[in-house]
Amino acid sequence: MNIGKELNYQWQVNVLGRSALRLNRILMARKAGKGQLGKSRLLTPPLNTSIWTKELIGQHYLRGRYANSHGKVAWVTSGAPIEFLKALDFYLLYPENHGALCGAARAAEGLSIEAEKAGYSRDICSYARTDIGAMLSGKTPVGRLPKPDLLLACTNICQTVLHWYRVLAHHFQVPLILIDTPFIYTEMTDHAVAFVKAQLEEAIIVAEKVAGKPLDPRRFKEVTRLSMLASELWLELLRRNRHRPAPISVFDQFTQMAPIVEMRGEASTVDLYAAMLKEVDQRIEQGIGVVPEERLRLLWDNLPVWYRLRYLAEFLGAHGAVIVASTYTNAWAELGPQMDPEHPMESMARTYMYPILNRGTGEKLATMRQMIQDYHLDGAILHSDRSCKPYSVGQMDQRDRLMRQDDLPALLLEADHNDPRSYSEEQVANRLTAFMEMLEAA
Amino acid sequence: MQTAAVRIPGRIENILSWKEQGGGIAAVFPIHYPRELLRAFGYLPVEVWGPPVVESVSSAAHVQPYVCSIVRNGLSFLQSGGLELADILLVPHACDSLQGLGSLLLDFIHPRQPTLTLYLPRGRRESDLSFLAQELHALYRRLAEIHGDSPTEPELMSSIRREEAADASLAQLHRQRSRLPLSDLAFYQLIRSREYLPAERFSQLASEALDQAGPITERGIPLLLSGIVPEPMALLNLIPELGGWVAADDLASCGRRLYPAGTSQDPFLRMAERIIHAPPDPTRGSSIESRHQHLLSLAAESGARGVVFHDVKFCEPELFDLPDLRRQLAESGLPSLLLEVDLNDPLSHQLHTRLQAFLEMIV
């Protein structure tokens, strides 16, 4: 270890950075106390714990900025089994989350253009274009991204990541671990589970080599336990929206979900969600909902439209409509009950084959139907996301079944999760207006 | 240039003849699958690569317009009765869109025929081989349920050897193409008959064509054609018209399916070996570097002076690799051209001009 670099890391991250982020948290808390945080006449103020989330995410990217001088770095996909990497003390960067952050910060279009200038087609995923653009240009709203020593791609969310991470491996010339999770058309077969387990065993050997140390089984179990706890708390948090009025909108969940995705396996994530759950419970006790008068409760399917979260929340809020459940935020909540810290390898294989995107289109409809029942929903908005084929293919039939068999109004909304060039506000507004009129008339 | 002196039976004629003999038909979507397994159950695999120029309205009720035309057309073709003669459907996993198609058929569309799926692993590791062998065994069990009977191990091995022989003939045709008196179009009509002819019939046709091999003839600027499928086939007339010829290919429907013979005496492992050890293919997770080396080697063997990437719009597996692949090929002295098509569109004048300019550049 280079002592000078390590001292610089500690100074920048744990002294200067931490103090700056804490100061920012205090200032924001003061603002929240005066009712000036996220001021909107249509929506209730965001959760106070959202300030904490922001601080955690800030710390995460701050650590990332100096991570190469401190230890080993792995870039991983959002649904990857990261517990063994965490236990080996890798700093984990999630390019998809970084892509989402760029989308919310309205930086994705410019970065996509950087990728397109290098020859990447506009027909590939906009997360991938955003991150490849950041990789090629060195531009990012978070200052600087650390270079990876290792890549981990898991196909449980899409095949896109397989191709995307091949590009990253080619660019950075570092080992790529592939965890190939066979798609579950009808049932999870034993040979598929054995296949994923065998890959995890092979992956640990590669990761240990890059980390330069063996995996400590106790630490592995502990990280798995923390992942499970965070996921279970996240599930509880989402379930609180079964109450009327719903205490936290899905648009808020989209921003509050960052730690469950990119900081799984950390104690601070468990603490954050425990505090958030407490605050949500207080809101329920006080009868505080997302909008002053909740009239319509809706489902959101697919990724968010990152660059128009607030617009969409307020547009719906103006009609007393709240998105209270989402198949997307639920994806990380479903992981917890599958995990078993006492048998991390076995449970990991099953857990990471289980995400909604690795199961059939009929399974997604079943999940939606369960949510409609559990959350007492009046309608569904299915975001047909040009950039995400595995999430979007099937939506036309799912919508058709919801409308015909469940008598539930459902709208297919054309957009793209990160590229505003594939989003037409006028068309979206027209379609949403008509949908609201239909729901209000029902 | 002469055209094929061998008569290639048409798809329908071949299907009807097979059915008259009491055989079944398996309609198979792209890309990789074990022909030998289907044949061992008496099903003749007939592949569905689109097909091109299909009225795609019916699939528009199920898939979005940003899904590739191979999936859209295949589904429309099925829904308009184009696959009525098929007894079973097989949708191998190749990408997110074909995954979606398989799932839609199983969960919502429910075609008359049983729908089978097959997951293909994305690596070449021991674990991939072992998984694929088990996946093929699961497909075997499913076919046995549908068929009511199942082939013995020797029958399976015999079927494998028959397909291995046909694949050896196919590889020979690829290697000998510069000696064959066939135009580009005729050559591809011949090798693409592997998509629907019984292996033994294809081997016979290949042998007849190979008997006509003569000395190497100069026939234009040699090109390497890469991509998914050579559709519209008019491209294969346009290339010679503009002074080029297809000297080799890296097409998912053609050159990437030159399956080598297996070595294992276990039929399932042997079928898995054949697929796992096929030439590099992004849909099976091949690295960009392995694809680069493969293209360089194809160009060196065939004398190709440039690569034409002929891709179907919205095909992510192809599109991701292209920037790095093209840059590396250029650094290796092999220029390339990217043409994107939709199976329902005719060849545009713009495509004509770009191809012409590319050929002028590399002449």
Side-chain angles (χ1 to χ4, degrees):
Chain A
M1 182 187 291
N2 182 317
I3 294 174
K5 280 185 178 175
E6 181 58 23
L7 280 174
N8 184 50
Y9 174 87
Q10 296 298 343
W11 173 250
Q12 296 288 355
V13 175
N14 291 328
V15 182
L16 279 183
R18 200 168 280 248
S19 308
L21 286 166
R22 189 143 296 168
L23 178 66
N24 186 49
R25 181 178 167 185
I26 292 165
L27 293 174
M28 283 179 76
R30 205 170 282 172
K31 224 171 153 185
K34 292 179 188 170
Q36 294 170 337
L37 192 68
K39 214 172 175 184
S40 167
R41 63 181 179 81
L42 298 164
L43 309 170
T44 49
L47 295 168
N48 289 330
T49 33
S50 66
I51 302 168
W52 188 353
T53 309
K54 202 170 176 184
E55 184 185 357
L56 277 187
I57 299 304
Q59 277 174 13
H60 178 71
Y61 279 103
L62 181 66
R63 287 205 307 268
R65 197 169 175 157
Y66 299 97
N68 288 125
S69 63
H70 180 63
K72 297 294 181 185
V73 174
W75 285 21
V76 301
T77 55
S78 63
I82 48 82
E83 284 71 16
F84 67 97
L85 292 179
K86 195 72 114 178
L88 283 164
D89 295 321
F90 276 87
Y91 170 82
L92 303 183
L93 180 89
Y94 292 71
E96 291 153 75
N97 275 59
H98 173 253
L101 190 149
C102 293
R106 314 278 173 92
E109 184 178 343
L111 292 170
S112 293
I113 289 170
E114 293 286 348
E116 289 156 25
K117 278 197 288 193
Y120 291 92
S121 167
R122 262 185 80 172
D123 291 333
I124 65 171
C125 165
S126 53
Y127 272 165
R129 274 181 286 132
T130 303
D131 273 293
I132 291 172
M135 176 184 85
L136 296 175
S137 66
K139 295 176 194 164
T140 163
V142 301
R144 195 181 79 86
L145 296 176
K147 287 196 171 68
D149 298 291
L150 181 69
L151 299 163
L152 171 64
C154 183
T155 58
N156 60 0
I157 47 169
C158 59
Q159 292 295 317
T160 299
V161 295
L162 170 73
H163 310 298
W164 176 1
Y165 276 62
R166 295 266 181 226
V167 170
L168 296 179
H170 192 73
H171 180 84
F172 289 111
Q173 292 293 308
V174 294
L176 165 60
I177 294 174
L178 170 68
I179 304 291
D180 186 6
T181 49
F183 184 75
I184 305 168
Y185 289 98
T186 50
E187 58 175 350
M188 193 186 285
T189 61
D190 289 342
H191 67 273
V193 176
F195 175 45
V196 176
K197 188 167 171 256
Q199 293 176 82
L200 284 167
E201 285 161 359
E202 291 165 22
I204 288 173
I205 297 168
V206 177
E208 286 177 328
K209 203 172 164 189
V210 175
K213 59 181 176 187
L215 179 67
D216 175 352
R218 279 176 307 175
R219 176 110 173 87
F220 187 24
K221 282 184 181 180
E222 175 58 10
V223 171
T224 306
R225 192 183 68 85
L226 291 170
S227 275
M228 183 191 72
L229 286 177
S231 179
E232 285 175 348
L233 283 165
W234 181 247
L235 176 64
E236 281 308 309
L237 196 71
L238 304 193
R239 282 182 174 165
R240 291 302 195 267
N241 267 3
R242 292 175 179 184
H243 289 269
R244 274 180 195 269
I248 173 171
S249 91
V250 162
F251 293 110
D252 288 330
Q253 291 173 12
F254 287 148
T255 51
Q256 302 310 319
M257 69 186 284
I260 190 62
V261 181
E262 61 191 354
M263 297 171 77
R264 270 197 319 281
E266 292 185 19
S268 55
T269 305
V270 176
D271 295 343
L272 168 77
Y273 288 130
M276 200 175 283
L277 191 60
K278 208 170 162 188
E279 189 184 355
V280 164
D281 282 339
Q282 281 168 2
R283 281 197 168 190
I284 290 170
E285 272 174 36
Q286 293 162 9
I288 300 172
V290 175
V291 291
E293 196 190 336
E294 180 184 293
R295 291 195 297 274
L296 297 166
R297 295 165 64 85
L298 306 175
L299 171 81
W300 180 275
D301 180 55
N302 215 324
L303 278 77
V305 181
W306 286 112
Y307 44 91
R308 294 310 275 155
L309 288 181
R310 191 175 173 90
Y311 166 80
L312 290 168
E314 292 197 332
F315 190 101
L316 296 170
H319 293 268
V322 182
I323 308 272
V324 301
S326 154
T327 54
Y328 184 63
T329 53
N330 189 57
W332 281 268
E334 287 181 318
L335 298 178
Q338 310 278 329
M339 290 179 173
D340 179 1
E342 289 310 309
H343 304 94
M345 289 298 284
E346 288 79 6
S347 71
M348 206 66 64
R350 287 184 183 276
T351 302
Y352 285 101
M353 277 181 74
Y354 193 69
I356 193 164
L357 286 182
N358 205 45
R359 286 180 279 148
T361 48
E363 274 281 301
K364 178 142 81 76
L365 177 62
T367 303
M368 288 168 149
R369 282 180 163 150
Q370 191 63 50
M371 286 180 153
I372 289 160
Q373 196 180 319
D374 292 345
Y375 291 82
H376 316 291
L377 303 179
D378 303 301
I381 297 175
L382 292 83
H383 167 205
S384 173
D385 183 352
R386 195 179 187 277
S387 269
C388 191
K389 291 185 186 75
Y391 222 134
S392 303
V393 173
Q395 282 180 321
M396 298 169 91
D397 283 279
Q398 287 153 0
R399 173 179 173 266
D400 172 72
R401 299 307 189 278
L402 289 177
M403 292 177 70
R404 282 197 298 117
Q405 296 174 353
D406 300 70
D407 203 20
L408 188 94
L411 171 74
L412 201 66
L413 203 63
E414 297 284 341
D416 184 287
H417 62 252
N418 237 31
D419 192 339
R421 292 170 295 174
S422 299
Y423 169 84
S424 167
E425 192 120 297
E426 272 307 302
Q427 276 185 24
V428 166
N430 281 341
R431 301 211 68 197
L432 280 177
T433 302
F435 188 55
M436 288 298 113
E437 283 169 4
M438 186 174 78
L439 285 168
E440 281 160 354
Chain B
M1 177 55 55
Q2 293 168 271
T3 53
V6 288
R7 189 191 157 273
I8 305 168
R11 275 177 196 252
I12 297 294
E13 172 193 350
N14 179 59
I15 290 170
L16 292 176
S17 152
W18 186 261
K19 293 208 94 157
E20 270 171 25
Q21 294 165 43
I25 299 293
V28 187
F29 287 82
I31 299 173
H32 304 281
Y33 67 97
R35 287 186 176 105
E36 46 269 51
L37 186 55
L38 296 170
R39 274 297 303 279
F41 278 92
Y43 292 111
L44 176 68
V46 175
E47 299 175 11
V48 187
W49 289 85
V53 198
V54 161
E55 176 60 70
S56 60
V57 173
S58 45
S59 68
H62 302 280
V63 290
Q64 288 91 335
Y66 47 80
V67 171
C68 80
S69 47
I70 288 181
V71 168
R72 279 188 282 118
N73 285 16
L75 181 53
S76 285
F77 193 56
L78 168 69
Q79 294 196 297
S80 59
L83 299 179
E84 271 310 295
L85 290 170
D87 300 284
I88 57 170
L89 306 176
L90 174 63
V91 190
H93 195 296
C95 60
D96 289 324
S97 299
L98 278 159
Q99 167 187 296
L101 175 66
S103 189
L104 279 176
L105 293 177
L106 284 166
D107 293 338
F108 295 118
I109 296 172
H110 306 298
R112 176 184 61 76
Q113 308 91 333
T115 301
L116 297 99
T117 56
L118 172 71
Y119 190 83
L120 291 150
R122 269 38 179 190
R124 291 181 171 209
R125 304 159 293 191
E126 273 304 307
S127 52
D128 295 296
L129 187 66
S130 162
F131 166 76
L132 182 54
Q134 291 175 76
E135 187 72 355
L136 293 172
H137 210 284
L139 181 60
Y140 171 90
R141 289 194 294 271
R142 181 83 181 98
L143 283 164
E145 277 169 27
I146 294 167
H147 195 258
D149 196 5
S150 51
T152 61
E153 207 168 293
E155 284 168 339
L156 207 44
M157 283 305 276
S158 158
S159 182
I160 291 170
R161 291 204 176 92
R162 185 170 52 216
E163 296 297 334
E164 285 180 348
D167 284 338
S169 300
L170 181 66
Q172 185 76 347
L173 284 172
H174 273 265
R175 278 196 299 274
Q176 296 285 320
R177 72 167 83 194
S178 61
R179 295 178 186 275
L180 301 176
L182 301 174
S183 67
D184 282 347
L185 182 64
F187 177 78
Y188 278 94
Q189 281 170 336
L190 173 61
I191 63 165
R192 291 194 67 196
S193 67
R194 181 88 178 95
E195 294 171 13
Y196 61 89
L197 284 181
E200 57 276 27
R201 181 74 185 103
F202 177 79
S203 293
Q204 193 187 337
L205 280 183
S207 169
E208 286 171 27
L210 288 165
D211 284 345
Q212 297 171 31
I216 294 173
T217 50
E218 281 294 324
R219 54 180 77 183
I221 305 158
L223 289 175
L224 171 50
L225 189 59
S226 179
I228 298 291
V229 62
E231 295 284 1
M233 293 282 271
L235 176 76
L236 299 167
N237 278 332
L238 181 63
I239 289 173
E241 194 184 301
L242 297 175
W245 81 283
V246 182
D249 84 63
D250 165 54
L251 294 164
S253 57
C254 304
R256 288 183 205 161
R257 297 199 302 166
L258 294 176
Y259 303 113
T263 56
S264 174
Q265 291 312 303
D266 175 279
F268 296 100
L269 261 181
R270 190 172 179 123
M271 287 187 281
E273 282 173 349
R274 279 166 46 69
I275 292 175
I276 293 272
H277 298 138
D281 183 339
T283 66
R284 289 191 304 103
S286 303
S287 67
I288 296 172
E289 186 49 35
S290 67
R291 293 196 61 203
H292 173 226
Q293 290 304 327
H294 180 63
L295 290 174
L296 285 183
S297 136
L298 283 176
E301 285 163 17
S302 65
R305 290 191 216 158
V307 184
V308 174
F309 290 100
H310 177 73
D311 282 316
V312 179
K313 195 163 169 56
F314 300 118
C315 182
E316 276 202 339
E318 292 290 312
L319 292 172
F320 265 100
D321 285 4
L322 286 178
D324 281 329
L325 206 47
R326 294 186 67 194
R327 182 180 48 76
Q328 279 197 300
L329 289 172
E331 284 166 6
S332 307
L334 204 57
S336 65
L337 172 73
L338 169 61
L339 303 173
E340 258 192 307
V341 294
D342 184 288
L343 295 189
N344 279 351
D345 292 341
L347 292 180
S348 67
H349 192 73
Q350 187 192 35
L351 184 146
H352 181 119
T353 309
R354 293 186 64 215
L355 189 56
Q356 188 172 31
F358 182 66
L359 284 163
E360 283 169 8
M361 186 185 84
I362 62 170
V363 68

